[in-house]
Amino acid sequence: MKTRPAVLGLAIVLDLVLIVLFAFIGRASHGENAVAGLWITSWPFLAGAFVGWLAGRVWRKPLAPWRSGLEVWAGTLIAGMLLRVAVGQGVAVSFVIVAGIVLFVFLVGWRLIASTMRRGRLLRRL
């Protein structure tokens, strides 16, 4: 079955918004100007999500929590951290752990909720 464009668009937007939210929360929690440095913090993870989408061919089943969610999460975290290293941004072990947990909850979590809702017929059309 072919993925509907609206579902694909929703998945992309949710992933992007949640990654930017992750960066916003991280900056704000450290007392930094969350808006001013938002792009600097979020772009490596957004690029990593792109890698995850491509590597996992997520467009085929964008709502699948384990098949797609894990691919996007892994790409976002691994490629995002590698890009941060490449441009001289910090990658302390504690940051990697926290980022891994938060991004997992965000990127796999919304798919788990959508999957549960689909089974419960609330989102049956998706």
Side-chain angles (χ1 to χ4, degrees):
M1 177 192 272
K2 187 175 179 183
T3 303
R4 292 179 36 205
V7 172
L8 186 58
L10 175 67
I12 292 168
V13 168
L14 278 173
D15 282 348
L16 297 178
V17 166
L18 289 169
I19 291 166
V20 171
L21 179 62
F22 156 74
F24 181 86
I25 291 168
R27 292 190 64 83
S29 71
H30 290 286
E32 299 173 12
N33 185 332
V35 176
L38 192 57
W39 175 249
I40 292 167
T41 304
S42 60
W43 81 261
F45 298 106
L46 293 169
F50 181 73
V51 169
W53 267 79
L54 289 178
R57 299 183 205 179
V58 173
W59 59 87
R60 291 180 174 183
K61 291 191 175 199
L63 301 182
W66 305 118
R67 183 193 179 286
S68 297
L70 285 177
E71 293 282 353
V72 176
W73 170 74
T76 302
L77 184 63
I78 296 167
M81 291 299 174
L82 290 173
L83 286 168
R84 285 180 61 88
V85 168
V87 298
Q89 293 184 22
V91 289
V93 172
S94 59
F95 174 61
V96 175
I97 293 168
V98 170
I101 293 168
V102 173
L103 289 169
F104 180 87
V105 169
F106 280 6
L107 300 174
V108 176
W110 80 256
R111 288 174 169 87
L112 282 169
I113 293 167
S115 177
T116 302
M117 292 173 71
R118 279 183 79 191
R119 276 190 234 115
R121 297 186 183 173
L122 292 175
L123 295 176
R124 194 74 152 152
R125 292 182 176 172
L126 294 180

